[in-house]
Amino acid sequence: MFFGLSIQAFTQFHVIVSLVGIVAGLAVLYGWLHSTPMTRMTAIFLAATAVTVVTGFMFPITAFTPALGVGILTTVLLIVALYALYVRHLSGRWRMTYLITAISSLYFNCFVVVAQSFLKVPSLHALAPNGSEPPFAISQAILLVAFVVAGYFAVHRYHPPMAAA
Protein backbone atom coordinates (compact mmCIF):
# COMPACT_ATOMS: atom_id res chain seq x y z
CA MET A 1 0.00 0.00 0.00
CA PHE A 2 1.18 3.47 -0.97
CA PHE A 3 -0.77 6.32 0.60
CA GLY A 4 -3.77 4.01 0.84
CA LEU A 5 -3.41 2.88 -2.79
CA SER A 6 -2.70 -0.61 -3.99
CA ILE A 7 0.51 -1.07 -5.97
CA GLN A 8 -1.59 -1.23 -9.16
CA ALA A 9 -3.40 2.02 -8.38
CA PHE A 10 -0.14 3.70 -7.35
CA THR A 11 1.46 2.56 -10.61
CA GLN A 12 -1.48 3.95 -12.58
CA PHE A 13 -1.17 7.27 -10.74
CA HIS A 14 2.57 7.34 -11.49
CA VAL A 15 1.97 6.61 -15.19
CA ILE A 16 -0.81 9.20 -15.52
CA VAL A 17 1.26 11.92 -13.86
CA SER A 18 4.19 11.00 -16.09
CA LEU A 19 2.03 11.29 -19.21
CA VAL A 20 0.64 14.64 -18.03
CA GLY A 21 4.23 15.85 -17.59
CA ILE A 22 5.20 14.63 -21.05
CA VAL A 23 2.20 16.21 -22.79
CA ALA A 24 2.70 19.49 -20.91
CA GLY A 25 6.43 19.34 -21.62
CA LEU A 26 5.88 18.84 -25.34
CA ALA A 27 3.49 21.79 -25.37
CA VAL A 28 6.07 23.92 -23.56
CA LEU A 29 8.79 22.76 -25.94
CA TYR A 30 6.59 23.89 -28.82
CA GLY A 31 6.29 27.27 -27.08
CA TRP A 32 10.05 27.52 -26.64
CA LEU A 33 10.53 26.82 -30.34
CA HIS A 34 8.25 29.78 -31.08
CA SER A 35 9.64 31.97 -28.26
CA THR A 36 6.29 31.86 -26.50
CA PRO A 37 6.38 31.72 -22.70
CA MET A 38 3.77 29.32 -21.37
CA THR A 39 3.91 30.03 -17.65
CA ARG A 40 1.04 27.81 -16.47
CA MET A 41 1.90 24.93 -18.78
CA THR A 42 5.54 25.18 -17.69
CA ALA A 43 4.49 24.91 -14.05
CA ILE A 44 2.37 21.85 -14.89
CA PHE A 45 5.26 20.28 -16.80
CA LEU A 46 7.79 20.85 -14.02
CA ALA A 47 5.42 19.83 -11.21
CA ALA A 48 4.23 16.67 -12.98
CA THR A 49 7.80 15.71 -13.82
CA ALA A 50 8.84 16.24 -10.20
CA VAL A 51 5.92 14.12 -8.96
CA THR A 52 6.86 11.45 -11.49
CA VAL A 53 10.41 11.34 -10.15
CA VAL A 54 9.32 11.32 -6.50
CA THR A 55 6.74 8.59 -7.01
CA GLY A 56 9.27 6.60 -9.03
CA PHE A 57 11.51 6.45 -5.96
CA MET A 58 8.60 5.14 -3.88
CA PHE A 59 8.41 1.80 -5.65
CA PRO A 60 10.13 -1.11 -3.90
CA ILE A 61 13.86 -0.90 -4.55
CA THR A 62 15.90 -4.08 -4.33
CA ALA A 63 18.94 -3.08 -6.39
CA PHE A 64 20.34 -0.21 -8.39
CA THR A 65 18.66 -0.24 -11.81
CA PRO A 66 18.81 1.98 -14.91
CA ALA A 67 15.44 3.39 -13.80
CA LEU A 68 17.01 4.59 -10.55
CA GLY A 69 19.88 6.14 -12.47
CA VAL A 70 17.47 7.98 -14.74
CA GLY A 71 15.48 9.10 -11.68
CA ILE A 72 18.57 10.46 -9.94
CA LEU A 73 19.75 12.25 -13.08
CA THR A 74 16.29 13.70 -13.72
CA THR A 75 16.11 14.91 -10.11
CA VAL A 76 19.38 16.82 -10.51
CA LEU A 77 18.26 18.26 -13.84
CA LEU A 78 14.92 19.38 -12.38
CA ILE A 79 16.57 21.06 -9.40
CA VAL A 80 18.81 23.06 -11.75
CA ALA A 81 15.88 23.89 -14.07
CA LEU A 82 13.73 25.08 -11.16
CA TYR A 83 16.58 27.18 -9.80
CA ALA A 84 17.29 28.72 -13.21
CA LEU A 85 13.62 29.56 -13.78
CA TYR A 86 12.31 30.57 -10.37
CA VAL A 87 15.43 31.90 -8.61
CA ARG A 88 17.63 33.21 -11.43
CA HIS A 89 14.63 34.17 -13.64
CA LEU A 90 16.41 32.96 -16.80
CA SER A 91 18.91 35.82 -16.59
CA GLY A 92 22.04 35.57 -18.69
CA ARG A 93 23.30 32.01 -19.12
CA TRP A 94 20.52 30.71 -16.87
CA ARG A 95 18.13 30.80 -19.83
CA MET A 96 20.25 28.31 -21.73
CA THR A 97 20.88 26.27 -18.57
CA TYR A 98 17.15 26.14 -17.93
CA LEU A 99 16.31 25.06 -21.46
CA ILE A 100 18.97 22.34 -21.53
CA THR A 101 18.02 20.92 -18.14
CA ALA A 102 14.26 21.14 -18.71
CA ILE A 103 14.48 19.59 -22.18
CA SER A 104 16.77 16.87 -20.83
CA SER A 105 14.23 16.11 -18.09
CA LEU A 106 11.51 15.83 -20.72
CA TYR A 107 13.74 13.63 -22.87
CA PHE A 108 14.38 11.23 -19.99
CA ASN A 109 10.63 10.97 -19.32
CA CYS A 110 10.08 10.16 -23.00
CA PHE A 111 13.02 7.72 -22.95
CA VAL A 112 11.33 5.84 -20.11
CA VAL A 113 7.99 5.78 -21.97
CA VAL A 114 9.67 4.23 -25.00
CA ALA A 115 11.50 1.70 -22.81
CA GLN A 116 8.30 0.83 -20.93
CA SER A 117 6.42 0.54 -24.21
CA PHE A 118 8.90 -2.08 -25.41
CA LEU A 119 8.39 -3.95 -22.13
CA LYS A 120 4.59 -3.71 -21.90
CA VAL A 121 3.19 -3.52 -25.44
CA PRO A 122 3.20 -7.07 -26.83
CA SER A 123 3.90 -6.13 -30.46
CA LEU A 124 6.86 -3.95 -29.44
CA HIS A 125 8.10 -6.49 -26.92
CA ALA A 126 8.16 -9.10 -29.68
CA LEU A 127 10.49 -6.83 -31.67
CA ALA A 128 12.91 -6.30 -28.77
CA PRO A 129 12.35 -8.77 -25.92
CA ASN A 130 15.68 -7.94 -24.26
CA GLY A 131 15.65 -4.20 -24.91
CA SER A 132 18.94 -4.44 -26.75
CA GLU A 133 17.72 -5.31 -30.25
CA PRO A 134 17.91 -2.89 -33.20
CA PRO A 135 14.24 -1.74 -33.10
CA PHE A 136 14.67 -0.56 -29.51
CA ALA A 137 18.03 1.07 -30.20
CA ILE A 138 16.76 2.76 -33.37
CA SER A 139 13.67 4.16 -31.66
CA GLN A 140 15.75 5.51 -28.77
CA ALA A 141 18.28 7.00 -31.22
CA ILE A 142 15.51 8.74 -33.15
CA LEU A 143 14.11 10.10 -29.88
CA LEU A 144 17.54 11.37 -28.82
CA VAL A 145 18.21 13.06 -32.17
CA ALA A 146 14.76 14.68 -32.12
CA PHE A 147 15.40 16.11 -28.65
CA VAL A 148 18.91 17.30 -29.49
CA VAL A 149 17.61 19.10 -32.59
CA ALA A 150 14.63 20.57 -30.73
CA GLY A 151 16.92 21.61 -27.88
CA TYR A 152 19.30 23.33 -30.26
CA PHE A 153 16.49 25.32 -31.84
CA ALA A 154 14.85 26.09 -28.49
CA VAL A 155 18.12 27.50 -27.11
CA HIS A 156 18.49 29.72 -30.17
CA ARG A 157 14.85 30.80 -30.46
CA TYR A 158 13.50 31.13 -26.93
CA HIS A 159 14.06 34.65 -25.62
CA PRO A 160 11.20 35.40 -23.23
CA PRO A 161 10.54 38.89 -21.94
CA MET A 162 11.95 39.22 -18.45
CA ALA A 163 8.47 39.71 -16.94
CA ALA A 164 7.31 36.35 -18.35
CA ALA A 165 10.08 34.42 -16.64
Side-chain angles (χ1 to χ4, degrees), residues 33-158:
L33 291 171
H34 294 87
S35 199
T36 304
M38 303 174 82
T39 308
R40 287 188 186 108
M41 192 64 71
T42 298
I44 292 168
F45 158 58
L46 294 171
T49 303
V51 171
T52 298
V53 170
V54 169
T55 57
F57 287 124
M58 299 171 94
F59 287 98
I61 299 171
T62 57
F64 187 82
T65 64
L68 283 175
V70 169
I72 291 166
L73 182 56
T74 303
T75 300
V76 172
L77 291 167
L78 275 176
I79 289 168
V80 174
L82 290 166
Y83 178 79
L85 179 61
Y86 294 116
V87 176
R88 303 302 300 194
H89 305 288
L90 306 182
S91 63
R93 293 272 181 201
W94 288 105
R95 179 191 59 82
M96 182 172 65
T97 301
Y98 165 70
L99 290 167
I100 291 168
T101 56
I103 291 168
S104 297
S105 296
L106 177 59
Y107 163 74
F108 283 120
N109 259 357
C110 292
F111 177 92
V112 170
V113 165
V114 170
Q116 287 296 315
S117 296
F118 273 92
L119 287 173
K120 309 285 186 203
V121 176
S123 58
L124 292 176
H125 186 72
L127 294 172
N130 298 315
S132 58
E133 293 80 6
F136 178 80
I138 291 167
S139 64
Q140 291 292 18
I142 290 168
L143 182 70
L144 177 61
V145 168
F147 270 89
V148 168
V149 169
Y152 173 84
F153 284 111
V155 165
H156 288 87
R157 292 179 179 175
Y158 185 61

